[in-house]
Amino acid sequence: MPTDYMYVMKCSENDRYKEGKISRYGNIELSPSAGVLNYGQGLFEGLKAYRKESGGLLLFRPDQNAMRMKFGAERMCMPAPSVDQFIDAVKQITVANKRWVPPPGKGSLYIRPLLMGSGPILGLAPAPEYMFLIYASPVRNYFKEGSAPLNLYVDDEYDRASRGGAGGVKTITNYAPVLKAIMSAKGRGFSDVLYLDSMNKKYLEEVSSCNIFLVKDKVISTPATNGTILSGVTRKSIIEIARDLGYQVEERAIPVEELMYADEVFCTGTAVVVAPVGSITYKDKKVEFRTDAEALSRKLYNTLVGIQMGVIEDKFGWTVEIE
């Protein structure tokens, strides 16, 4: 759903970003030979603004998104806005579209920063000009089932990322290639796809747009970010919350066979937040997991959302209030 305003800031190659501006939401003009259109030189981020019971607005860890964009921009040979510029722009777009932030508990304002090679370039090289753009949209739950458990399919045919590639950064080129696998899985009644490592087809990586966690007794395991897995902000936050609650959290290589013995499985991401997985199908074998009200994923979800909405004390210093 389009909101009222977007934010745009431009930069030429080997220069720094100057002051950006808020403008009415609308189409942008690009050269047919823009780097982003021809060679996929682009990144995006995703974060949310929440409305407190008092009416105030909160952002959740925008500095982490800013730093991840800088990391990704270096990989994609693009100049990135500074952390301060990024956060200031996110605040501006949130305030400009504040009437679109849903009431407490009804959703959030999803904020989508884009960084793209907007300048014309015919030969394969970095673009001569770059655009940093942010737009926003009010959202509810990411998956159409709402809070219903996810039903995942382990795909051992398609790869999401490979060693030495760009799987560890949020480049736009990581997403269209998974559409084939997603559409195939959804056509068979699954919610999404869980990918394996491209080298061995043995270790868990991530779901199409979120990270995955396994729970066995008091131990939580998640695949280590080794260059092929995106380091999610929600993933990082859940690890810290879980450890604070007394759980042991392991970041390691996880063989796909461990799914057969897990008590619980859940996904994390800015869009999905914390989503319980009801079942996973691998090589025609379906394994079901705990998803009741006492499941750990529900406890972690309630804690994280409570912090994001200002209902639970933020002892981690993660939230940023917009004056």
Side-chain angles (χ1 to χ4, degrees):
M1 179 180 291
T3 52
D4 299 324
Y5 298 99
M6 62 185 187
Y7 177 95
V8 177
M9 183 166 60
K10 295 183 179 181
C11 171
S12 59
E13 189 179 16
N14 301 319
D15 198 1
R16 295 183 179 182
Y17 286 91
K18 305 298 192 299
E19 185 176 354
K21 65 176 183 178
I22 293 287
S23 60
R24 296 292 300 188
Y25 179 89
N27 295 338
I28 60 173
E29 187 173 295
L30 286 175
S31 164
S33 58
V36 66
L37 297 180
N38 290 264
Y39 304 117
Q41 194 184 21
L43 297 164
F44 73 89
E45 276 297 328
L47 63 161
K48 292 176 178 177
Y50 304 85
R51 190 177 298 280
K52 298 170 62 178
E53 291 290 349
S54 63
L57 301 176
L58 286 177
L59 297 173
F60 184 72
R61 309 190 78 173
D63 60 312
Q64 297 296 307
N65 298 94
M67 289 188 286
R68 187 169 65 180
M69 177 167 274
K70 284 179 67 69
F71 176 74
E74 193 277 330
R75 175 67 176 84
M76 301 297 286
C77 298
M78 298 190 289
S82 69
V83 172
D84 288 342
Q85 285 176 320
F86 182 101
I87 295 174
D88 180 65
V90 169
K91 287 180 177 179
Q92 287 189 49
I93 201 68
T94 303
V95 171
N97 293 301
K98 62 183 179 182
R99 76 184 184 97
W100 292 96
V101 183
K106 298 295 184 181
S108 57
L109 184 70
Y110 184 82
I111 301 165
R112 170 59 62 86
L114 299 169
L115 183 63
M116 67 187 88
S118 54
I121 185 77
L122 183 57
L124 181 56
E129 182 183 81
Y130 296 87
M131 179 187 298
F132 175 61
L133 183 151
I134 309 178
Y135 68 95
S137 174
V139 296
R140 293 191 70 182
N141 290 318
Y142 182 77
F143 290 99
K144 67 179 181 180
E145 306 103 307
S147 58
L150 304 180
N151 176 25
L152 301 180
Y153 175 76
V154 177
D155 196 311
D156 56 5
E157 178 183 359
Y158 295 102
D159 296 331
R160 180 196 165 271
S162 60
R163 291 281 178 89
V169 298
K170 208 166 176 65
T171 169
I172 61 174
T173 53
N174 287 340
Y175 293 86
V178 303
L179 295 178
K180 183 80 171 178
I182 292 175
M183 298 310 294
S184 174
K186 288 189 174 182
R188 288 176 286 164
F190 297 102
S191 307
D192 210 329
V193 175
L194 173 58
Y195 299 91
L196 302 177
D197 73 291
S198 62
M199 184 177 296
N200 304 294
K201 292 293 184 180
K202 176 181 179 181
Y203 299 101
L204 302 182
E205 293 250 301
E206 60 179 289
V207 182
S208 302
S209 59
C210 47
N211 298 115
I212 193 159
F213 287 77
L214 279 65
V215 182
K216 182 65 177 177
D217 300 323
K218 290 279 287 185
V219 179
I220 304 172
S221 301
T222 190
T225 53
N226 56 7
T228 59
I229 297 172
L230 188 69
S231 181
V233 177
T234 307
R235 172 188 181 277
K236 183 177 182 179
S237 304
I238 286 298
I239 288 173
E240 294 182 53
I241 290 172
R243 285 174 174 159
D244 184 66
L245 292 173
Y247 288 88
Q248 177 183 338
V249 181
E250 298 178 346
E251 298 178 72
R252 59 181 176 84
I254 303 176
V256 64
E257 289 78 16
E258 286 195 28
L259 288 171
M260 307 302 165
Y261 311 106
D263 300 325
E264 190 177 339
V265 177
F266 60 87
C267 295
T268 65
T270 299
V272 303
V273 190
V274 179
V277 175
S279 68
I280 295 179
T281 299
Y282 175 56
K283 292 189 180 301
D284 297 323
K285 183 174 182 180
K286 183 178 181 180
V287 184
E288 297 186 343
F289 308 101
R290 178 181 180 183
T291 60
D292 59 85
E294 300 302 314
L296 176 60
S297 62
R298 178 59 57 181
K299 183 177 184 180
L300 294 171
Y301 172 88
N302 290 337
T303 303
L304 178 61
V305 171
I307 293 172
Q308 291 174 331
M309 298 183 61
V311 177
I312 295 176
E313 179 189 1
D314 177 20
K315 61 182 179 181
F316 300 99
W318 289 339
T319 55
V320 176
E321 186 153 13
I322 300 176
E323 301 297 334

